[in-house]
Amino acid sequence: MTTKNAFYAQSGGVTAVINASACGLIETARQHGDKIGKVYAGRNGIIGALTEDLIDTSLESDEDIAALRYTPSGAFGSCRYKLKSFEENRAEYERLIAVFKAHNIGYFFYNGGGDSQDTTHKLSQLSQSLGHDLRCIGIPKTVDNDLPLTDNCPGFGSVAKYVAVSIREAGFDVASMARTSTKVFVLEVMGRHAGWIAAAGGLAAEREGESPHIILFPEITFDQEKFLAKVESTVKKHGFCCIVVSEGVRNPDGTFLAEAGTRDAFGHAQLGGVAPVVADMIKTAHGYKYHWAVADYLQRAARHIASKTDVDQAYAMGKAAVELALDGKTAVMPTIVRTSNNPYQWEIGVGELKDVANIEQMLPPHYISEDGFGITAECEEYLRPLIMGEDSPPYVNGLPQYVRLKNLPVEKILNEPFDL
Amino acid sequence: MTTKNAFYAQSGGVTAVINASACGLIETARQHGDKIGKVYAGRNGIIGALTEDLIDTSLESDEDIAALRYTPSGAFGSCRYKLKSFEENRAEYERLIAVFKAHNIGYFFYNGGGDSQDTTHKLSQLSQSLGHDLRCIGIPKTVDNDLPLTDNCPGFGSVAKYVAVSIREAGFDVASMARTSTKVFVLEVMGRHAGWIAAAGGLAAEREGESPHIILFPEITFDQEKFLAKVESTVKKHGFCCIVVSEGVRNPDGTFLAEAGTRDAFGHAQLGGVAPVVADMIKTAHGYKYHWAVADYLQRAARHIASKTDVDQAYAMGKAAVELALDGKTAVMPTIVRTSNNPYQWEIGVGELKDVANIEQMLPPHYISEDGFGITAECEEYLRPLIMGEDSPPYVNGLPQYVRLKNLPVEKILNEPFDL
């Protein structure tokens, strides 16, 4: 087999461990220099391929590539850019193939969520029909944990750990203050469609009465009366009430709770945030003093509190992607297969991209407690291993020392502009 | 000297390390059983003393007391309850003395901010005039770092570290996304009057162009035009802009930015949060896509990312308080005295409570950069040592394992109700 270069791109919202996948991929590719020449990364994801803006990762030291394992975010830049269908914009796909041909790229690795796997699948089909030998491998990534086929998604475990740690710590704080001050605390977390991240908050409570007392899932239609009653009974019983709310919680009419109609002085639509909406609702009904937090990007960037399981799996996905490609596979994605819960054991599987594209894996009903405000023992059994283990980054001057790569460009060959 | 019992109470907003002070105090008291009998803690702070609701800490194991060193929040409960002046409510002070006499309490330790030091001072005066021998020692605590006399306050260093870590991590995230998506990120932090916490965000940026690009301090009147121009020039130069905003930032007319007039559909005043106000302002002016986070209690409860310097100093303050009392001192507070910046060295000093009460230490002007949006090298030199060192709590099942004490009550002797 002749030596071909590889293309790697990061896609969509980044995570605390997507760079660990990049690390696994590049380190593994470097061990196979007889088959894989250079790994070119797309600057800002697939846009880098479309615009022939490639990064030569061979110019990065082994040390810096190793540091990707503990560096959050997308080291080469990511993008929110969904390729259209063949019918709508075949030119985009043809352009990708043209760039890959020009740079002798025989391996395509796309690190992202459902849309990215869909793109990878389409590209594998097109490359075959255009006669360019391109092995197309997806690498799973999403904090939302909503990809099918894989037991869990790299990126999720670390957000889950962040949320569980945060709501536990805030719970201790509020318990201290509740006698004369704050009685209610609301933490807003990500998950517009699936409640996996919110569910992870439930791992913080080990005993009856511990934080969080209530979880609001996007899978459960919000019932204001029932919710307010639960808040009141919790405060009466335990003195305080901690709530994890998913950004995606909806009213019975289908609107997001976050769109509660808040307007500024000029009548502009509200500024976002479901946490203040929920907190204010409680204040109005019961008069309890509240505090609220919106974790936003902090939760998915928090490499300092990443799950070791998550880091290991993200790295393994990058490594397995290269191995699958070298094994001649295309249109596939490495997956995580859970083989045992206790002790937790997992191995690498393979999923067909045709079965992955555009399916969202929601929190199953039996993972949500009967009253709709908590998680079941089965859910905890699923989630717990994913937050296990700590994997602290190195610290310099009191702060985590993350790497910034040189990200030097590959000289253009086509050198033709391409309109996005 | 006869054996007397000690009273210890936690006051005001809790921190990641106030329990480390409790740990230092109780462990040190236990080493002096010939002079200090039992340490009684006030359940929910000074309210526990007023209502004769005392916790017998002698019933807690050495192991559990040791665990306070790494447990955030106030283990005995805190309260927001300010004693009035002698003239307004002398009965409260007399009640405290009565409870202390009944329980043979000869040592009063009050762990809190400026108000608490004021109360401690008054109590020392009253006990003398009432002929009850009570040694009154304050123990500094506040995330706001605004107490005078001490170089810094236990509680602040850990919030500072949390904020610096968080805005660094978010900065990496936004840099990845900026090409096609989020260009502006706003993190709201605590500090209603003093900008110490916001300033700590500045430690995250090591090189030109790194996050945070802008800090908004409560000490600097908000200049919208100048701010929006700086955001625009930052995005044009670096591709993205990360902002740390203090909750206490004010408009030229003196109103808080957070009170920007946002109202819900029913005309209720806005739900709080300066971050969304700032983010929306940028969107309106420049159209940049934004994300924002409000750290709220997460920042002060985040024991998982505490500063080792802070933990050590908090412990040392508790220990020193006991030693001062045993040394016959009263109406004093142990302080942190910085003796060297590089290498950072500090020692324990002593402050007179009459000089502490009700003075707020603001960020000095020479700590803020000329344009008003950053910190100076001198500020960094002051702040850096305070976030140095990591002091990870133990982890069990993927989460920090914090202690919950038994908190068993001391039998009442007076047994008379007291109206708060």
Side-chain angles (χ1 to χ4, degrees):
Chain A
M1 183 180 167
T2 56
T3 301
K4 298 263 191 178
N5 296 319
F7 174 82
Y8 167 77
Q10 302 176 320
S11 182
V14 294
T15 78
V17 302
I18 184 172
N19 282 335
S21 291
C23 177
L25 184 141
I26 296 171
E27 288 189 343
T28 308
R30 287 186 177 188
Q31 288 161 17
H32 295 279
D34 54 327
K35 289 167 191 155
I36 300 179
K38 292 180 174 182
V39 177
Y40 295 148
R43 192 183 306 277
N44 299 309
I46 200 73
I47 286 179
L50 290 168
T51 59
E52 203 190 358
D53 191 358
L54 306 178
I55 291 166
D56 187 350
T57 72
S58 75
L59 302 174
E60 311 290 346
S61 68
D62 285 348
E63 199 180 1
D64 279 357
I65 294 300
L68 288 178
R69 187 172 178 128
Y70 55 78
T71 297
S73 83
F76 309 108
S78 183
C79 68
R80 295 202 179 277
Y81 186 86
K82 189 181 175 178
L83 271 72
K84 299 203 181 72
S85 67
F86 282 154
E87 295 68 30
E88 282 178 285
N89 200 343
R90 190 180 169 98
E92 281 188 335
Y93 295 88
E94 289 174 347
R95 167 69 174 187
L96 289 177
I97 299 292
V99 170
F100 295 161
K101 271 190 178 168
H103 290 276
N104 189 33
I105 288 167
Y107 306 94
F108 176 80
F109 298 105
Y110 206 23
N111 203 167
D115 286 348
S116 308
Q117 309 306 335
D118 188 42
T119 298
T120 308
H121 183 225
K122 283 177 183 151
L123 201 61
S124 75
Q125 293 175 304
L126 188 72
S127 65
Q128 281 175 0
S129 74
L130 291 182
H132 177 66
D133 183 21
L134 188 70
R135 299 190 191 161
C136 298
I137 315 285
I139 305 173
K141 172 245 54 165
T142 161
V143 294
D144 291 323
N145 203 38
D146 58 359
L147 280 179
L149 298 189
T150 186
D151 178 70
N152 60 288
C153 293
F156 168 67
S158 294
V159 178
K161 189 175 184 110
Y162 173 95
V163 169
V165 169
S166 296
I167 196 64
R168 169 172 289 185
E169 290 180 332
F172 270 76
D173 190 309
V174 180
S176 311
M177 304 304 296
R179 174 71 173 79
T180 56
S181 180
T182 305
K183 285 187 172 52
V184 169
F185 180 77
V186 184
L187 172 62
E188 174 174 337
V189 301
M190 288 179 159
R192 197 150 276 260
H193 304 296
W196 294 102
I197 294 176
L203 296 173
E206 279 175 353
R207 278 164 289 189
E208 161 75 9
E210 290 190 351
S211 170
H213 307 91
I214 299 177
I215 302 172
L216 296 176
F217 303 96
E219 286 87 351
I220 305 284
T221 301
F222 184 65
D223 180 335
Q224 179 166 345
E225 201 179 324
K226 192 175 154 195
F227 167 70
L228 288 171
K230 172 89 176 176
V231 171
E232 191 178 28
S233 67
T234 302
V235 171
K236 285 192 171 154
K237 190 167 180 189
H238 303 295
F240 71 111
C241 180
C242 286
I243 299 159
V244 175
V245 57
S246 165
E247 61 178 339
V249 173
R250 287 171 189 269
N251 291 305
D253 66 4
T255 56
F256 286 114
L257 237 70
E259 314 167 57
T262 327
R263 301 202 166 261
D264 67 14
F266 309 100
H268 297 140
Q270 67 103 40
L271 307 171
V274 65
V277 172
V278 168
D280 192 60
M281 187 185 294
I282 294 167
K283 173 86 176 172
T284 303
H286 302 309
Y288 299 140
K289 188 179 174 203
Y290 62 75
H291 265 254
W292 55 267
V294 177
D296 195 67
Y297 278 3
L298 304 191
Q299 71 200 286
R300 73 182 204 192
R303 181 60 183 82
H304 76 273
I305 187 71
S307 150
K308 184 170 191 313
T309 302
D310 194 29
V311 175
D312 289 347
Q313 292 179 340
Y315 184 92
M317 291 294 102
K319 181 171 184 280
V322 173
E323 290 166 350
L324 285 168
L326 292 178
D327 200 27
K329 299 285 194 301
T330 190
V332 296
M333 167 185 102
T335 61
I336 297 159
V337 179
R338 186 184 300 225
T339 55
S340 160
N341 258 330
N342 200 355
Y344 176 59
Q345 291 177 326
W346 59 279
E347 57 186 36
I348 306 274
V350 183
E352 301 279 335
L353 291 183
K354 66 178 169 50
D355 302 330
V356 176
N358 301 323
I359 300 171
E360 280 181 334
Q361 201 75 28
M362 312 307 266
L363 202 59
H366 65 284
Y367 276 16
I368 300 175
S369 61
E370 212 163 316
D371 70 358
F373 293 132
I375 61 172
T376 60
E378 210 173 335
C379 183
E380 180 176 344
E381 192 173 49
Y382 168 80
L383 291 173
R384 181 70 65 183
L386 308 182
I387 69 163
M388 290 296 287
E390 292 69 54
D391 191 59
S392 194
Y395 281 75
V396 175
N397 290 330
L399 295 175
Q401 199 60 13
Y402 299 135
V403 69
R404 285 184 190 279
L405 301 180
K406 295 193 287 279
N407 282 349
L408 298 171
V410 177
E411 201 175 338
K412 295 193 185 200
I413 294 172
L414 296 180
N415 220 5
E416 297 156 357
F418 183 84
D419 291 336
L420 295 175
Chain B
M1 181 181 170
T2 56
T3 300
K4 297 260 192 180
N5 295 317
F7 174 83
Y8 167 78
Q10 302 177 320
S11 182
V14 294
T15 78
V17 302
I18 184 173
N19 282 336
S21 291
C23 177
L25 183 141
I26 296 170
E27 288 189 344
T28 307
R30 285 185 178 189
Q31 288 161 17
H32 296 277
D34 54 324
K35 290 168 192 155
I36 300 178
K38 292 180 175 182
V39 176
Y40 295 148
R43 192 184 305 278
N44 300 307
I46 200 71
I47 287 180
L50 290 168
T51 59
E52 204 190 358
D53 191 357
L54 306 177
I55 291 166
D56 187 351
T57 71
S58 75
L59 302 174
E60 310 291 345
S61 67
D62 285 347
E63 199 179 1
D64 280 357
I65 293 300
L68 287 178
R69 187 172 179 128
Y70 55 78
T71 297
S73 84
F76 310 108
S78 183
C79 67
R80 295 204 178 275
Y81 186 86
K82 188 179 176 178
L83 271 72
K84 298 202 182 74
S85 67
F86 282 154
E87 294 69 29
E88 282 177 285
N89 200 344
R90 190 179 167 97
E92 280 187 334
Y93 294 87
E94 290 174 347
R95 167 69 174 186
L96 288 177
I97 299 292
V99 170
F100 295 162
K101 271 189 179 168
H103 290 274
N104 189 34
I105 288 168
Y107 306 94
F108 176 79
F109 299 105
Y110 206 20
N111 203 167
D115 286 347
S116 307
Q117 308 307 335
D118 188 42
T119 297
T120 308
H121 183 225
K122 284 176 183 153
L123 201 60
S124 75
Q125 295 176 304
L126 187 72
S127 65
Q128 283 175 359
S129 75
L130 290 182
H132 177 65
D133 182 22
L134 188 70
R135 300 190 190 159
C136 298
I137 315 286
I139 305 172
K141 173 244 55 167
T142 160
V143 295
D144 292 323
N145 203 38
D146 58 359
L147 280 179
L149 300 191
T150 186
D151 179 70
N152 60 287
C153 294
F156 168 66
S158 294
V159 178
K161 189 175 184 107
Y162 173 95
V163 169
V165 169
S166 295
I167 197 63
R168 169 171 289 184
E169 290 179 332
F172 269 76
D173 190 309
V174 180
S176 311
M177 303 306 297
R179 175 71 173 79
T180 56
S181 181
T182 305
K183 286 187 171 52
V184 169
F185 179 78
V186 184
L187 173 62
E188 173 175 337
V189 302
M190 287 178 160
R192 195 150 277 261
H193 305 295
W196 295 102
I197 294 176
L203 297 174
E206 279 174 355
R207 279 165 288 188
E208 161 75 10
E210 290 189 351
S211 169
H213 307 91
I214 299 177
I215 302 172
L216 297 176
F217 302 96
E219 285 87 354
I220 306 282
T221 300
F222 184 66
D223 180 335
Q224 179 165 344
E225 200 179 327
K226 192 173 155 198
F227 167 69
L228 288 171
K230 172 88 176 175
V231 172
E232 190 177 29
S233 66
T234 302
V235 171
K236 284 191 171 153
K237 189 166 181 192
H238 303 296
F240 71 110
C241 181
C242 286
I243 299 158
V244 175
V245 56
S246 166
E247 60 178 343
V249 173
R250 286 170 188 270
N251 291 304
D253 66 4
T255 55
F256 286 113
L257 238 70
E259 313 167 59
T262 327
R263 298 199 169 264
D264 69 14
F266 309 98
H268 297 139
Q270 66 101 39
L271 306 171
V274 65
V277 171
V278 168
D280 192 60
M281 187 187 292
I282 295 167
K283 172 85 178 174
T284 302
H286 303 308
Y288 300 139
K289 189 182 174 200
Y290 62 75
H291 266 254
W292 54 268
V294 176
D296 195 67
Y297 278 3
L298 303 191
Q299 70 200 284
R300 73 181 204 193
R303 181 59 183 82
H304 76 273
I305 187 72
S307 149
K308 184 172 190 313
T309 302
D310 194 31
V311 174
D312 289 347
Q313 291 179 339
Y315 184 92
M317 291 295 103
K319 180 170 184 280
V322 173
E323 290 164 351
L324 285 168
L326 291 179
D327 201 28
K329 300 284 194 301
T330 190
V332 296
M333 168 184 101
T335 61
I336 298 161
V337 180
R338 185 183 300 225
T339 55
S340 160
N341 258 329
N342 200 355
Y344 176 61
Q345 291 176 325
W346 58 279
E347 57 186 37
I348 306 275
V350 183
E352 301 279 334
L353 290 185
K354 66 177 168 50
D355 303 329
V356 176
N358 301 322
I359 300 171
E360 279 182 333
Q361 201 74 31
M362 311 307 265
L363 204 59
H366 66 283
Y367 276 17
I368 299 176
S369 62
E370 212 163 319
D371 71 358
F373 294 132
I375 60 172
T376 60
E378 208 172 337
C379 183
E380 180 176 345
E381 192 174 48
Y382 167 79
L383 290 173
R384 181 71 65 185
L386 308 182
I387 69 162
M388 290 296 286
E390 291 70 54
D391 191 58
S392 192
Y395 281 74
V396 174
N397 290 330
L399 296 175
Q401 199 61 12
Y402 300 135
V403 69
R404 284 183 191 281
L405 301 180
K406 294 194 286 280
N407 281 350
L408 297 172
V410 178
E411 202 174 334
K412 296 193 183 199
I413 294 174
L414 297 180
N415 220 4
E416 297 156 356
F418 184 83
D419 289 337
L420 296 175

